[in-house]
Amino acid sequence: MRIPFVTARQRDFSLEPLTVEDGDALFHLHREGFARPWTGSEFADLLEQDTVFGYAARAVGRGHEAPAGFVLARLVAGEAEILTIAVARSHRRLGLGWRLMDAVLRELHAQRAEALFLEVDETNAPAIALYRRLGFIQVGKRPDYYRTGGSGANGALVMRRDLR
Ligand SMILES: CC(C)(COP(=O)(O)OP(=O)(O)OC[C@H]1O[C@@H](n2cnc3c(N)ncnc32)[C@H](O)[C@@H]1OP(=O)(O)O)[C@@H](O)C(=O)NCCC(=O)NCCS
């Protein structure tokens, strides 16, 4: 007898706009990717703001299963920034990060935004590779921006994607 086996790569994911109710689920995802995760209420506070928007990637047909990834962005006066993005460890390298960023770029094009900025730890090779592939270029650097475990700190690259 054959046992059906569907890998995560084959499974479909849909992107849905984030809502205030997603705060706690975002906290759980965020702490997988960041040493200092934001709390559920911090996410809820952000999502209550008119200028903040984002998307969650959810497995199709899985009801209210926790999202596999999300992105949060802010748009003010034509300039946007990525506030944060995270994909569950178990679902990385499936294209979800790229799709989430693409959804933000599409929304910003629709809103006629001029540019999208972000900050990324200079040692975060996966994220930097994703952003470069999406057309971001480095426009600045903030030394000693991210505290590491001990007394040290990593610099932040400031990256920009032109939307015009
Ligand atoms: C960065 C992150 C969001 C990427 O999400 P992802 O879903 O794994 O990324 P994707 O599968 O969409 O990758 C798209 C492309 O980005 C690049 N990339 C992603 N992860 C990579 C890695 N570990 N090494 C090298 N390149 C990588 C590749 O070019 C990849 O395309 P490919 O798989 O066809 O080679 C994910 O690693 C993550 O959540 N990290 C922890 C949180 C974090 O660092 N967020 C960013 C803070 S600024």
Side-chain angles (χ1 to χ4, degrees):
M1 188 179 107
R2 279 191 154 184
I3 299 170
F5 179 76
V6 180
T7 67
R9 187 171 281 277
Q10 291 164 323
R11 201 193 293 163
D12 284 335
F13 289 85
S14 65
L15 298 197
E16 297 164 11
L18 290 174
T19 70
V20 173
E21 285 72 41
D22 290 315
D24 285 341
L26 301 192
F27 160 70
H28 288 292
L29 265 179
H30 204 242
R31 73 176 174 184
E32 273 195 44
F34 296 92
R36 291 177 179 76
W38 302 351
T39 65
S41 60
E42 283 173 325
F43 279 114
D45 286 348
L46 282 166
L47 285 162
E48 271 175 356
Q49 298 172 26
D50 291 343
T51 53
V52 173
F53 68 99
Y55 302 94
R58 287 196 165 83
V60 170
R62 295 294 179 108
H64 291 293
E65 186 177 283
F70 76 98
V71 63
L72 202 59
R74 185 190 337 251
L75 171 61
V76 178
E79 283 202 349
E81 62 176 320
I82 296 295
L83 298 176
T84 191
I85 178 171
V87 172
R89 282 184 201 283
S90 55
H91 289 78
R92 290 187 189 161
R93 290 314 279 273
L94 299 176
L96 292 181
W98 189 89
R99 282 182 61 189
L100 288 161
M101 289 293 297
D102 185 57
V104 168
L105 289 169
R106 284 170 189 269
E107 174 62 18
L108 293 176
H109 279 298
Q111 299 288 334
R112 301 186 184 282
E114 290 173 15
L116 175 59
F117 289 85
L118 58 81
E119 282 155 5
V120 57
D121 186 318
E122 63 186 345
T123 67
N124 190 344
I128 292 169
L130 169 64
Y131 301 144
R132 288 212 171 110
R133 197 170 156 196
L134 284 159
F136 284 83
I137 55 166
Q138 184 185 338
V139 293
K141 185 169 172 179
R142 298 194 165 132
D144 301 332
Y145 192 72
Y146 295 105
R147 296 261 157 262
T148 54
S151 56
N154 294 334
L157 307 186
V158 182
M159 303 186 85
R160 180 184 194 274
R161 166 70 145 75
D162 199 357
L163 299 172
R164 290 288 167 91

